[in-house]
Amino acid sequence: YMKDMATAYEKKTGVPVEVKGGGVPVGIANTLAGKSHLGGSCRHLLDEEKDKGASSTIVGYDMLVFIVHRNNPVSSLSMDQVRKIFAGKITNWFEVGGPKQDILIIGRESPDAGVATMFREKVMRGWDISKNTVDLQSTSDVEKGLETEQYQWGIGVTGISSAALRKVKMLSLNVNAPTRESFLSGGYPLARPLYLVTKGNPGGQTKEFIDFVLSDEGQQLMAKNAFSKKDYCQRMTTLTGRCDPE
């Protein structure tokens, strides 16, 4: 969402915002080192990052999704099947209704990456991830890899907003497809916050940009790319009868 947000902010204020990739650990480290004003994150701060003065603001939400090659006939998995696949206990697509092909787990090199951290906490929940994986440098590389024939029988995990830009298949989870409707209804279980990270409390132009992201205009733009805080409130109201921020 950040490129669209930066474009809209510059158009509104005349202040340019430069957006670079690299992943959550890089973004937070650069922010703490004073190399950038903000770092984007799709996971909570780690204790060591907090100890160094990192501060985070929730600005939106998205969903973790499991992706496979678009020609893979498997369309849905249960949470239990996902855990067993990534733990190495299910090793062939035939075991989950697919063809007799070995499952190739496509993962990340960095254990503190945003997707990897939230996946361990929300899905694996103490289960060890198989060491028989292909670990790539970035989540973008995972997505790109699963577009290719090289990883035709692979599976990876990413965020829905970036997966939607790729030619991959997003799997349903517990029969719930990863759609806007299933996010709002609470049917799809794997929602996660999106943060902007600063060193200390934000001030000056940095705070002004965060305020724009949290404004009605910014949140409308967020909802086009991921999910707004209002969307999350609707989800929680449906699930619990009240809107509690995460």
Side-chain angles (χ1 to χ4, degrees), residues 141-208:
D141 290 334
V142 173
E143 295 165 353
K144 291 176 182 177
L146 285 165
E147 290 180 317
T148 68
E149 298 301 317
Q150 180 181 2
Y151 298 138
Q152 181 174 358
W153 302 112
I155 185 171
V157 58
T158 186
I160 188 173
S161 53
S162 57
L165 303 176
R166 304 290 186 186
K167 294 180 180 179
V168 294
K169 178 188 282 188
M170 291 185 275
L171 300 181
S172 296
L173 188 60
N174 295 342
V175 196
N176 290 285
T179 63
R180 178 172 178 80
E181 290 71 27
S182 63
F183 177 89
L184 296 176
S185 70
Y188 192 85
L190 298 180
R192 61 175 182 170
L194 303 174
Y195 304 87
L196 288 179
V197 177
T198 56
K199 185 173 183 179
N201 294 325
Q205 288 187 335
T206 302
K207 184 178 186 303
E208 290 174 8

Side-chain angles (χ1 to χ4, degrees), residues 76-221:
S76 181
L77 294 171
S78 69
M79 188 76 83
D80 184 61
Q81 286 173 329
V82 168
R83 289 193 191 99
K84 288 179 178 177
I85 286 172
F86 280 85
K89 298 181 183 299
I90 292 177
T91 60
N92 197 288
W93 286 109
F94 183 75
E95 299 175 71
V96 291
K100 291 184 178 179
Q101 297 285 347
D102 290 338
I103 298 173
L104 186 62
I105 301 171
I106 313 297
R108 285 290 311 278
E109 292 176 348
S110 177
D112 59 347
V115 168
T117 299
M118 299 311 294
F119 170 67
R120 288 195 306 271
E121 292 184 8
K122 287 184 172 288
V123 178
M124 298 307 285
R125 297 186 176 183
W127 287 44
D128 291 330
I129 296 175
S130 171
K131 297 187 183 301
N132 186 25
T133 64
V134 175
D135 292 328
L136 303 181
Q137 186 174 2
S138 70
T139 301
S140 176
D141 290 334
V142 173
E143 295 165 353
K144 291 176 182 177
L146 285 165
E147 290 180 317
T148 68
E149 298 301 317
Q150 180 181 2
Y151 298 138
Q152 181 174 358
W153 302 112
I155 185 171
V157 58
T158 186
I160 188 173
S161 53
S162 57
L165 303 176
R166 304 290 186 186
K167 294 180 180 179
V168 294
K169 178 188 282 188
M170 291 185 275
L171 300 181
S172 296
L173 188 60
N174 295 342
V175 196
N176 290 285
T179 63
R180 178 172 178 80
E181 290 71 27
S182 63
F183 177 89
L184 296 176
S185 70
Y188 192 85
L190 298 180
R192 61 175 182 170
L194 303 174
Y195 304 87
L196 288 179
V197 177
T198 56
K199 185 173 183 179
N201 294 325
Q205 288 187 335
T206 302
K207 184 178 186 303
E208 290 174 8
F209 179 75
I210 294 176
D211 288 344
F212 171 76
V213 176
L214 294 173
S215 70
D216 289 343
E217 182 179 352
Q219 287 295 291
Q220 287 174 10
L221 189 57

